[in-house]
Amino acid sequence: MIFEAIEYLIHRCLHQPYSSKHFPYHRNHHRTYQTDHDYRTNKSLLKSLIQQVLSVWIFSLAWSYGFIAAYIAWSILIYNLMHFISHTDLFPTIRFYHKAHHRDPSKNIGISSPAVDWFMNTMHEEFIVKHPILLILPPPLSFLAIEHNPNME
């Protein structure tokens, strides 16, 4: 849960007005989400796969630097994997969760887990936590705790 909380804080900071000019990649990602960031396109898929390979490589090297380095590398690996999943149809609930964030950047800020959004009350109204105990599971399993209600869109 430490990683999810840190990820939430970083992502929330990226949505502050001063961040837009300092982090143009994130701003562009939000602006072009519906068009060129669909991972079914070859360019985006290749970019994501390269990120995943680099994350696995960093994780394998980090063990020689101790547990904290390995945990950070593992967190990067999970983040990249979850962000990839959120742009595909592999797990529809995760994709809908991420799409709701792009419609309203102040909601669904947690990329890897809905747990912090639930705790911080930033979960979009179209999602219901049906099984709160499942929120403690690691990503992507923590998404089993929520249910998408498209009638709330």
Side-chain angles (χ1 to χ4, degrees), residues 18-134:
Y18 62 84
S19 296
S20 292
K21 63 182 174 186
H22 297 295
F23 298 99
Y25 175 80
H26 187 257
R27 182 183 66 234
N28 188 50
H29 172 70
H30 269 264
R31 189 176 29 209
T32 62
Y33 173 75
Q34 297 299 333
T35 56
D36 66 344
H37 277 75
D38 186 348
Y39 284 167
R40 288 174 285 201
T41 64
N42 291 335
K43 181 181 175 186
S44 295
L45 179 61
L46 179 62
K47 179 180 158 192
S48 182
L49 290 175
I50 290 170
Q51 288 175 340
Q52 282 301 106
V53 168
L54 288 172
S55 297
V56 169
W57 179 67
I58 290 169
F59 176 68
S60 65
L61 292 177
W63 278 109
S64 62
Y65 292 101
F67 176 77
I68 296 196
Y71 182 76
I72 291 168
W74 175 254
S75 299
I76 293 167
L77 178 65
I78 292 299
Y79 171 81
N80 281 324
L81 177 64
M82 291 303 297
H83 197 247
F84 171 76
I85 288 172
S86 70
H87 285 271
T88 67
D89 292 325
L90 294 172
F91 297 96
T93 301
I94 296 172
R95 183 169 175 88
F96 294 138
Y97 196 81
H98 196 66
K99 278 178 137 178
H101 169 68
H102 280 270
R103 286 193 312 275
D104 182 356
S106 67
K107 301 288 185 180
N108 296 1
I109 298 166
I111 303 289
S112 299
S113 173
V116 182
D117 284 316
W118 181 67
F119 181 74
M120 298 295 288
N121 199 27
T122 54
M123 187 178 289
H124 198 278
E125 300 81 35
E126 68 190 61
F127 293 91
I128 302 163
V129 177
K130 289 291 227 179
H131 311 285
I133 191 69
L134 297 179

